[in-house]
Amino acid sequence: MSLDPTVAHLVDTAAADPDSDEDALIASLEADEAVDAFRERRLQQLHEEFNRAKQLRSSAHGIYSEIKDEKALMDITTSTKYCVVHFFKPDFNRCAVMDGHLESLAPTHYETRIVRINVDNAPFLITKLKIQVLPCVIAFVDGVGVDRVIGFEGLGRTPDTFTTRDLEARLIRAGVLVREKVQGVRKGTAIRKGKVVEEDSGDDWD
């Protein structure tokens, strides 16, 4: 049974707030005049989805965290249904831009584990996954890579700017995010000249 849109909206909004309360969500649901015909079903869904979101948040979902060890990262990608990994370098401007967008997505997309790892801490994975251009964001479903964003390729109208919603849409198409949740639009920042390899839309550190 698909999640009711009203329930989804309430839970997604509450997911970003660690102090959210189920009773307050129920009160909001019951205040909806259109809820009567589907009241019991919606209340049941709200209870189940709220508890699921709470359980996932307790296991580091809903936050954008850095993983320091590549073995730990491999364990996460193979044990988590949905996972997005940003391979980054701290001094690369484009990686900082990607960080901002992923940090915006993490709180409401609690179904997906969204993490990052410094490429210096992941030599085996960098070789195995043949990562050459940064930022590199790989989407995993059940431990299998289903999409790869290289630089800013395929995001926004130009290679240098894109919105959080653009990234969200790409990851939804990949099947690693479950539904559209971004309300506002976070714009990408301008990219300074330097190490950027324009033809690759990213930084090449080799």
Side-chain angles (χ1 to χ4, degrees), residues 45-57:
Q45 284 193 344
L46 179 63
H47 175 71
E48 292 173 354
E49 192 66 14
F50 180 83
N51 285 338
R52 189 167 78 94
K54 189 175 180 180
Q55 181 179 11
L56 288 171
R57 284 202 306 267

mmCIF file with all atom_site columns, all heavy atoms in Angstrom, residues 45-57:
data_model
loop_
_atom_site.group_PDB
_atom_site.id
_atom_site.type_symbol
_atom_site.label_atom_id
_atom_site.label_alt_id
_atom_site.label_comp_id
_atom_site.label_asym_id
_atom_site.label_entity_id
_atom_site.label_seq_id
_atom_site.pdbx_PDB_ins_code
_atom_site.Cartn_x
_atom_site.Cartn_y
_atom_site.Cartn_z
_atom_site.occupancy
_atom_site.B_iso_or_equiv
_atom_site.pdbx_formal_charge
_atom_site.auth_seq_id
_atom_site.auth_comp_id
_atom_site.auth_asym_id
_atom_site.auth_atom_id
_atom_site.pdbx_PDB_model_num
ATOM 1   N N   . GLN A 1 45 ? -0.966 4.661  9.048  1.00 0.00 ? 45 GLN A N   1
ATOM 2   C CA  . GLN A 1 45 ? 0.232  4.945  8.267  1.00 0.00 ? 45 GLN A CA  1
ATOM 3   C C   . GLN A 1 45 ? 1.136  5.945  8.979  1.00 0.00 ? 45 GLN A C   1
ATOM 4   O O   . GLN A 1 45 ? 2.365  5.801  8.978  1.00 0.00 ? 45 GLN A O   1
ATOM 5   C CB  . GLN A 1 45 ? -0.143 5.483  6.883  1.00 0.00 ? 45 GLN A CB  1
ATOM 6   C CG  . GLN A 1 45 ? -0.637 4.427  5.913  1.00 0.00 ? 45 GLN A CG  1
ATOM 7   C CD  . GLN A 1 45 ? -0.696 4.953  4.492  1.00 0.00 ? 45 GLN A CD  1
ATOM 8   O OE1 . GLN A 1 45 ? -0.655 6.161  4.245  1.00 0.00 ? 45 GLN A OE1 1
ATOM 9   N NE2 . GLN A 1 45 ? -0.777 4.047  3.537  1.00 0.00 ? 45 GLN A NE2 1
ATOM 10  N N   . LEU A 1 46 ? 0.519  6.971  9.565  1.00 0.00 ? 46 LEU A N   1
ATOM 11  C CA  . LEU A 1 46 ? 1.304  7.981  10.271 1.00 0.00 ? 46 LEU A CA  1
ATOM 12  C C   . LEU A 1 46 ? 2.089  7.353  11.420 1.00 0.00 ? 46 LEU A C   1
ATOM 13  O O   . LEU A 1 46 ? 3.283  7.627  11.595 1.00 0.00 ? 46 LEU A O   1
ATOM 14  C CB  . LEU A 1 46 ? 0.376  9.083  10.797 1.00 0.00 ? 46 LEU A CB  1
ATOM 15  C CG  . LEU A 1 46 ? 1.053  10.219 11.584 1.00 0.00 ? 46 LEU A CG  1
ATOM 16  C CD1 . LEU A 1 46 ? 2.026  10.973 10.677 1.00 0.00 ? 46 LEU A CD1 1
ATOM 17  C CD2 . LEU A 1 46 ? 0.018  11.167 12.157 1.00 0.00 ? 46 LEU A CD2 1
ATOM 18  N N   . HIS A 1 47 ? 1.428  6.512  12.186 1.00 0.00 ? 47 HIS A N   1
ATOM 19  C CA  . HIS A 1 47 ? 2.088  5.852  13.309 1.00 0.00 ? 47 HIS A CA  1
ATOM 20  C C   . HIS A 1 47 ? 3.247  4.983  12.826 1.00 0.00 ? 47 HIS A C   1
ATOM 21  O O   . HIS A 1 47 ? 4.367  5.043  13.371 1.00 0.00 ? 47 HIS A O   1
ATOM 22  C CB  . HIS A 1 47 ? 1.070  4.994  14.067 1.00 0.00 ? 47 HIS A CB  1
ATOM 23  C CG  . HIS A 1 47 ? 1.671  4.174  15.164 1.00 0.00 ? 47 HIS A CG  1
ATOM 24  N ND1 . HIS A 1 47 ? 2.147  4.718  16.339 1.00 0.00 ? 47 HIS A ND1 1
ATOM 25  C CD2 . HIS A 1 47 ? 1.891  2.828  15.242 1.00 0.00 ? 47 HIS A CD2 1
ATOM 26  C CE1 . HIS A 1 47 ? 2.639  3.754  17.095 1.00 0.00 ? 47 HIS A CE1 1
ATOM 27  N NE2 . HIS A 1 47 ? 2.485  2.606  16.461 1.00 0.00 ? 47 HIS A NE2 1
ATOM 28  N N   . GLU A 1 48 ? 3.013  4.183  11.794 1.00 0.00 ? 48 GLU A N   1
ATOM 29  C CA  . GLU A 1 48 ? 4.042  3.271  11.292 1.00 0.00 ? 48 GLU A CA  1
ATOM 30  C C   . GLU A 1 48 ? 5.212  4.028  10.685 1.00 0.00 ? 48 GLU A C   1
ATOM 31  O O   . GLU A 1 48 ? 6.382  3.697  10.931 1.00 0.00 ? 48 GLU A O   1
ATOM 32  C CB  . GLU A 1 48 ? 3.429  2.318  10.261 1.00 0.00 ? 48 GLU A CB  1
ATOM 33  C CG  . GLU A 1 48 ? 2.437  1.332  10.857 1.00 0.00 ? 48 GLU A CG  1
ATOM 34  C CD  . GLU A 1 48 ? 1.724  0.506  9.799  1.00 0.00 ? 48 GLU A CD  1
ATOM 35  O OE1 . GLU A 1 48 ? 1.922  0.790  8.592  1.00 0.00 ? 48 GLU A OE1 1
ATOM 36  O OE2 . GLU A 1 48 ? 0.985  -0.419 10.172 1.00 0.00 ? 48 GLU A OE2 1
ATOM 37  N N   . GLU A 1 49 ? 4.922  5.060  9.885  1.00 0.00 ? 49 GLU A N   1
ATOM 38  C CA  . GLU A 1 49 ? 5.994  5.793  9.203  1.00 0.00 ? 49 GLU A CA  1
ATOM 39  C C   . GLU A 1 49 ? 6.794  6.647  10.178 1.00 0.00 ? 49 GLU A C   1
ATOM 40  O O   . GLU A 1 49 ? 8.015  6.763  10.066 1.00 0.00 ? 49 GLU A O   1
ATOM 41  C CB  . GLU A 1 49 ? 5.413  6.660  8.084  1.00 0.00 ? 49 GLU A CB  1
ATOM 42  C CG  . GLU A 1 49 ? 6.447  7.239  7.127  1.00 0.00 ? 49 GLU A CG  1
ATOM 43  C CD  . GLU A 1 49 ? 7.155  6.182  6.290  1.00 0.00 ? 49 GLU A CD  1
ATOM 44  O OE1 . GLU A 1 49 ? 6.680  5.017  6.252  1.00 0.00 ? 49 GLU A OE1 1
ATOM 45  O OE2 . GLU A 1 49 ? 8.181  6.522  5.680  1.00 0.00 ? 49 GLU A OE2 1
ATOM 46  N N   . PHE A 1 50 ? 6.111  7.237  11.158 1.00 0.00 ? 50 PHE A N   1
ATOM 47  C CA  . PHE A 1 50 ? 6.816  8.031  12.162 1.00 0.00 ? 50 PHE A CA  1
ATOM 48  C C   . PHE A 1 50 ? 7.778  7.149  12.954 1.00 0.00 ? 50 PHE A C   1
ATOM 49  O O   . PHE A 1 50 ? 8.926  7.522  13.206 1.00 0.00 ? 50 PHE A O   1
ATOM 50  C CB  . PHE A 1 50 ? 5.819  8.705  13.106 1.00 0.00 ? 50 PHE A CB  1
ATOM 51  C CG  . PHE A 1 50 ? 6.476  9.541  14.177 1.00 0.00 ? 50 PHE A CG  1
ATOM 52  C CD1 . PHE A 1 50 ? 6.880  10.838 13.908 1.00 0.00 ? 50 PHE A CD1 1
ATOM 53  C CD2 . PHE A 1 50 ? 6.690  9.018  15.451 1.00 0.00 ? 50 PHE A CD2 1
ATOM 54  C CE1 . PHE A 1 50 ? 7.494  11.604 14.893 1.00 0.00 ? 50 PHE A CE1 1
ATOM 55  C CE2 . PHE A 1 50 ? 7.298  9.783  16.439 1.00 0.00 ? 50 PHE A CE2 1
ATOM 56  C CZ  . PHE A 1 50 ? 7.700  11.082 16.162 1.00 0.00 ? 50 PHE A CZ  1
ATOM 57  N N   . ASN A 1 51 ? 7.330  5.968  13.350 1.00 0.00 ? 51 ASN A N   1
ATOM 58  C CA  . ASN A 1 51 ? 8.193  5.054  14.098 1.00 0.00 ? 51 ASN A CA  1
ATOM 59  C C   . ASN A 1 51 ? 9.359  4.560  13.245 1.00 0.00 ? 51 ASN A C   1
ATOM 60  O O   . ASN A 1 51 ? 10.475 4.385  13.742 1.00 0.00 ? 51 ASN A O   1
ATOM 61  C CB  . ASN A 1 51 ? 7.391  3.863  14.614 1.00 0.00 ? 51 ASN A CB  1
ATOM 62  C CG  . ASN A 1 51 ? 6.526  4.233  15.806 1.00 0.00 ? 51 ASN A CG  1
ATOM 63  O OD1 . ASN A 1 51 ? 6.789  5.211  16.493 1.00 0.00 ? 51 ASN A OD1 1
ATOM 64  N ND2 . ASN A 1 51 ? 5.474  3.466  16.044 1.00 0.00 ? 51 ASN A ND2 1
ATOM 65  N N   . ARG A 1 52 ? 9.092  4.346  11.951 1.00 0.00 ? 52 ARG A N   1
ATOM 66  C CA  . ARG A 1 52 ? 10.173 3.916  11.055 1.00 0.00 ? 52 ARG A CA  1
ATOM 67  C C   . ARG A 1 52 ? 11.226 5.006  10.915 1.00 0.00 ? 52 ARG A C   1
ATOM 68  O O   . ARG A 1 52 ? 12.431 4.739  10.955 1.00 0.00 ? 52 ARG A O   1
ATOM 69  C CB  . ARG A 1 52 ? 9.604  3.547  9.677  1.00 0.00 ? 52 ARG A CB  1
ATOM 70  C CG  . ARG A 1 52 ? 10.632 2.890  8.760  1.00 0.00 ? 52 ARG A CG  1
ATOM 71  C CD  . ARG A 1 52 ? 9.938  2.279  7.563  1.00 0.00 ? 52 ARG A CD  1
ATOM 72  N NE  . ARG A 1 52 ? 9.592  3.273  6.588  1.00 0.00 ? 52 ARG A NE  1
ATOM 73  C CZ  . ARG A 1 52 ? 10.358 3.585  5.539  1.00 0.00 ? 52 ARG A CZ  1
ATOM 74  N NH1 . ARG A 1 52 ? 11.518 2.963  5.364  1.00 0.00 ? 52 ARG A NH1 1
ATOM 75  N NH2 . ARG A 1 52 ? 9.973  4.484  4.663  1.00 0.00 ? 52 ARG A NH2 1
ATOM 76  N N   . ALA A 1 53 ? 10.766 6.256  10.743 1.00 0.00 ? 53 ALA A N   1
ATOM 77  C CA  . ALA A 1 53 ? 11.694 7.377  10.626 1.00 0.00 ? 53 ALA A CA  1
ATOM 78  C C   . ALA A 1 53 ? 12.522 7.530  11.907 1.00 0.00 ? 53 ALA A C   1
ATOM 79  O O   . ALA A 1 53 ? 13.730 7.774  11.861 1.00 0.00 ? 53 ALA A O   1
ATOM 80  C CB  . ALA A 1 53 ? 10.926 8.661  10.338 1.00 0.00 ? 53 ALA A CB  1
ATOM 81  N N   . LYS A 1 54 ? 11.860 7.365  13.044 1.00 0.00 ? 54 LYS A N   1
ATOM 82  C CA  . LYS A 1 54 ? 12.550 7.482  14.333 1.00 0.00 ? 54 LYS A CA  1
ATOM 83  C C   . LYS A 1 54 ? 13.605 6.395  14.488 1.00 0.00 ? 54 LYS A C   1
ATOM 84  O O   . LYS A 1 54 ? 14.724 6.647  14.954 1.00 0.00 ? 54 LYS A O   1
ATOM 85  C CB  . LYS A 1 54 ? 11.516 7.383  15.457 1.00 0.00 ? 54 LYS A CB  1
ATOM 86  C CG  . LYS A 1 54 ? 12.055 7.692  16.845 1.00 0.00 ? 54 LYS A CG  1
ATOM 87  C CD  . LYS A 1 54 ? 10.917 7.694  17.858 1.00 0.00 ? 54 LYS A CD  1
ATOM 88  C CE  . LYS A 1 54 ? 11.439 8.010  19.257 1.00 0.00 ? 54 LYS A CE  1
ATOM 89  N NZ  . LYS A 1 54 ? 10.339 8.024  20.255 1.00 0.00 ? 54 LYS A NZ  1
ATOM 90  N N   . GLN A 1 55 ? 13.263 5.181  14.076 1.00 0.00 ? 55 GLN A N   1
ATOM 91  C CA  . GLN A 1 55 ? 14.205 4.067  14.177 1.00 0.00 ? 55 GLN A CA  1
ATOM 92  C C   . GLN A 1 55 ? 15.404 4.281  13.253 1.00 0.00 ? 55 GLN A C   1
ATOM 93  O O   . GLN A 1 55 ? 16.551 4.037  13.631 1.00 0.00 ? 55 GLN A O   1
ATOM 94  C CB  . GLN A 1 55 ? 13.497 2.758  13.820 1.00 0.00 ? 55 GLN A CB  1
ATOM 95  C CG  . GLN A 1 55 ? 14.397 1.533  13.924 1.00 0.00 ? 55 GLN A CG  1
ATOM 96  C CD  . GLN A 1 55 ? 13.660 0.249  13.594 1.00 0.00 ? 55 GLN A CD  1
ATOM 97  O OE1 . GLN A 1 55 ? 12.541 0.277  13.089 1.00 0.00 ? 55 GLN A OE1 1
ATOM 98  N NE2 . GLN A 1 55 ? 14.280 -0.885 13.877 1.00 0.00 ? 55 GLN A NE2 1
ATOM 99  N N   . LEU A 1 56 ? 15.145 4.754  12.029 1.00 0.00 ? 56 LEU A N   1
ATOM 100 C CA  . LEU A 1 56 ? 16.233 4.989  11.089 1.00 0.00 ? 56 LEU A CA  1
ATOM 101 C C   . LEU A 1 56 ? 17.149 6.104  11.569 1.00 0.00 ? 56 LEU A C   1
ATOM 102 O O   . LEU A 1 56 ? 18.373 6.023  11.434 1.00 0.00 ? 56 LEU A O   1
ATOM 103 C CB  . LEU A 1 56 ? 15.666 5.315  9.705  1.00 0.00 ? 56 LEU A CB  1
ATOM 104 C CG  . LEU A 1 56 ? 15.043 4.150  8.940  1.00 0.00 ? 56 LEU A CG  1
ATOM 105 C CD1 . LEU A 1 56 ? 14.319 4.633  7.692  1.00 0.00 ? 56 LEU A CD1 1
ATOM 106 C CD2 . LEU A 1 56 ? 16.117 3.122  8.568  1.00 0.00 ? 56 LEU A CD2 1
ATOM 107 N N   . ARG A 1 57 ? 16.559 7.167  12.132 1.00 0.00 ? 57 ARG A N   1
ATOM 108 C CA  . ARG A 1 57 ? 17.378 8.276  12.630 1.00 0.00 ? 57 ARG A CA  1
ATOM 109 C C   . ARG A 1 57 ? 18.294 7.803  13.760 1.00 0.00 ? 57 ARG A C   1
ATOM 110 O O   . ARG A 1 57 ? 19.407 8.308  13.920 1.00 0.00 ? 57 ARG A O   1
ATOM 111 C CB  . ARG A 1 57 ? 16.496 9.424  13.129 1.00 0.00 ? 57 ARG A CB  1
ATOM 112 C CG  . ARG A 1 57 ? 15.879 10.256 12.006 1.00 0.00 ? 57 ARG A CG  1
ATOM 113 C CD  . ARG A 1 57 ? 15.493 11.641 12.507 1.00 0.00 ? 57 ARG A CD  1
ATOM 114 N NE  . ARG A 1 57 ? 14.627 11.596 13.675 1.00 0.00 ? 57 ARG A NE  1
ATOM 115 C CZ  . ARG A 1 57 ? 13.308 11.624 13.633 1.00 0.00 ? 57 ARG A CZ  1
ATOM 116 N NH1 . ARG A 1 57 ? 12.685 11.700 12.460 1.00 0.00 ? 57 ARG A NH1 1
ATOM 117 N NH2 . ARG A 1 57 ? 12.588 11.572 14.740 1.00 0.00 ? 57 ARG A NH2 1
#
